[in-house]
Amino acid sequence: MAGMSDLFDAHPYQDRYPVQRGLPEQGRPKAEILAELREMAALENQAWETGQCSGTMYCGDLDHYAFLTEAFGLFAHQNALQRDMCPSATRFEGEIIAMALDLMHANAIEGTEPAGLVTSGGTGSILQAMLSYRDHARATRGITMPNIVKPETAHPAFVKAAHLFGLELRVVPVDPATTLVDPAAMAARIDENTIAIIGSAGNYPYGTIDPIADLSDLALARGVGLHVDGCLGGFILPFGEELGYAVPPFDFRLPGVTSISADTHKYGYGLKGTSSLLFRDKALRNAAYFYVLDWSGGKYFSPGMEGSRSDGLLASAWASLVATGRAGYRAHAQEIFATCAAMVDVVREHPQLRLVGSPTFVFAFTSDDFDIYHVADRMKTRGWRFNGLQYPDGLHLAVTRPQTRDGVVDRFRTDLADAVAYAQEQTGSAESTAIYGGIPGGLTADVSTFIESVMEQIMDAHQSVPAPR
């Protein structure tokens, strides 16, 4: 594990700026601080402005970011928990939820009243959804030993939810060719204590969309909830459908879908820190309530897990949705889907590479001829940043607006051809393996210990200051 502290070049600024090892006695001039921050931001923007970074910067428009920053700044100091002083939070949150519900065809719902929450991100939405299912099932079905059933490809946040909330987690493998879950296999894992099943639209590894219509039928037949994780695809797939792409229904048009998560901070092009969690029936949302009635500080209550929140995040998410509009989202989706198709064609130019699943706005590939992480190693030297996959080892690229810029697909063609040639020549282990999940096959019982050691050293690096010289 030697050198792990330098894995992410944790202290690249130590020779450029002063290092704070404690709270300074005298504050620095604000203009000086802002100049320093502008320099850092400009340097770090170079990592994604080329369009060679998977996901991460979904918008990539500095003018849009400046607009969101101004919207955020106007309300950043306000607390969304205190609506008597900050009624703007009610406008922003209510309209964000209304727009998201409209996008997910909540107008098709009959017999219940749809509702939602704005959370801190995709993990926050998933955690809150699972907590709501747990408490609602306890109150309405008397379930005290709840379980949830998820495809292997569904996000690790569901594993985190099970860990935090005492849920039994049942994981169903996916078809290795299609990367989709088999509804029959899901059905076999449901019992009288199942509170919810999960499907992805699309999943993180491959961007593929589980058979949500079949899962909807299954949820109705077995009387369980169905959460659709649209954190990644929720704000792009609907516009792909409007454009005529083969996007199957995954939203509230399917009667068995009881909740949906969709991140405004991904393809909604908002700032990091907001996501929408939508419910078919507000009775399920109401299960998210938390309150303490006998505290000396007064009766405390919050609508979900979070307490104080910056109204600025609500303002910026609202501003992004309103400024972009359906036409804007459609236009961006058209460019992203077309760019993804063009990059997929580049991958197909190489018989040594094999696509995994059916690409959407995300494409994933592996190789049966060589260690695919050698491709990542080589592409990294050309400024590309892929996400690593495992089981099988692979790479994916979530196409975002920066990839739609002129010249990016051509660079991808040139650099990938070079990387494939490089990978064919390699006989040793790839450098990227340890980072991208490539745990050696012989590690079994010690994997947890290994990962904990890696995490500890990464956290120590991320939360440290450089050693004095």
Side-chain angles (χ1 to χ4, degrees), residues 98-373:
M99 287 184 277
L101 285 169
D102 176 58
L103 188 62
M104 297 300 160
H105 294 94
N107 59 343
I109 296 174
E110 297 180 357
T112 62
E113 184 178 351
L117 297 169
V118 176
T119 74
S120 60
T123 293
S125 285
I126 288 170
L127 292 178
Q128 188 63 72
M130 295 303 102
L131 184 59
S132 293
Y133 279 112
R134 187 196 71 175
D135 289 355
H136 186 260
R138 179 186 296 158
T140 62
R141 297 169 58 193
I143 293 178
T144 58
M145 300 180 64
N147 67 70
I148 57 175
V149 184
K150 86 172 189 78
E152 188 281 327
T153 49
H155 199 275
F158 293 101
V159 185
K160 182 182 284 188
H163 168 72
L164 292 174
F165 305 143
L167 311 175
E168 180 192 349
L169 179 68
R170 299 180 177 182
V171 179
V172 176
V174 300
D175 184 295
T178 66
T179 73
L180 305 181
V181 74
D182 178 4
M186 293 282 281
R189 303 306 306 276
I190 296 173
D191 63 17
E192 66 278 3
N193 288 318
T194 300
I195 58 174
I197 60 175
I198 290 100
S200 301
N203 60 55
Y204 169 84
Y206 311 112
T208 47
I209 304 168
D210 284 317
I212 305 299
D214 293 334
L215 296 180
S216 169
D217 292 341
L218 174 61
L220 289 173
R222 302 295 293 271
V224 300
L226 168 57
H227 180 81
V228 174
D229 177 17
C231 286
L232 184 59
F235 279 92
I236 186 170
L237 289 176
F239 303 106
E241 181 183 359
E242 290 181 12
L243 291 163
Y245 288 93
V247 177
F250 64 88
D251 56 25
F252 290 125
R253 287 171 291 180
L254 302 174
V257 173
T258 48
S259 61
I260 303 172
S261 50
D263 286 357
T264 44
H265 72 189
K266 289 190 174 76
Y267 289 95
Y269 309 127
L271 297 178
K272 290 297 183 186
T274 60
S275 172
S276 62
L277 172 58
L278 312 172
F279 298 100
R280 173 176 291 273
D281 186 351
K282 73 174 185 180
L284 186 56
R285 180 208 61 184
N286 292 356
Y289 294 166
F290 177 82
Y291 49 86
V292 178
L293 302 180
D294 56 354
W295 179 45
S296 57
K299 293 177 174 60
Y300 175 92
F301 58 91
S302 63
M305 292 186 295
E306 291 145 354
S308 295
R309 292 180 293 159
S310 171
D311 192 11
L313 284 172
L314 295 174
S316 59
W318 176 89
S320 184
L321 293 168
V322 172
T324 307
R326 280 186 175 269
Y329 283 113
R330 274 195 301 271
H332 297 320
Q334 177 67 71
E335 293 178 336
I336 288 169
F337 276 93
T339 300
C340 185
M343 299 182 90
V344 166
D345 286 342
V346 171
V347 174
R348 289 191 174 115
E349 293 173 4
H350 301 280
Q352 307 92 339
L353 302 179
R354 174 170 59 84
L355 290 163
V356 184
S358 298
T360 50
F361 56 95
V362 176
F363 66 94
F365 59 96
T366 185
S367 176
D368 300 317
D369 296 343
F370 49 72
D371 182 348
I372 194 66
Y373 293 134

Side-chain angles (χ1 to χ4, degrees), residues 350 352 370 375 378 415-426:
H350 301 280
Q352 307 92 339
F370 49 72
V375 171
R378 187 67 166 184
D415 294 344
L416 185 63
D418 173 76
V420 168
Y422 168 85
Q424 289 178 296
E425 297 171 353
Q426 305 309 303

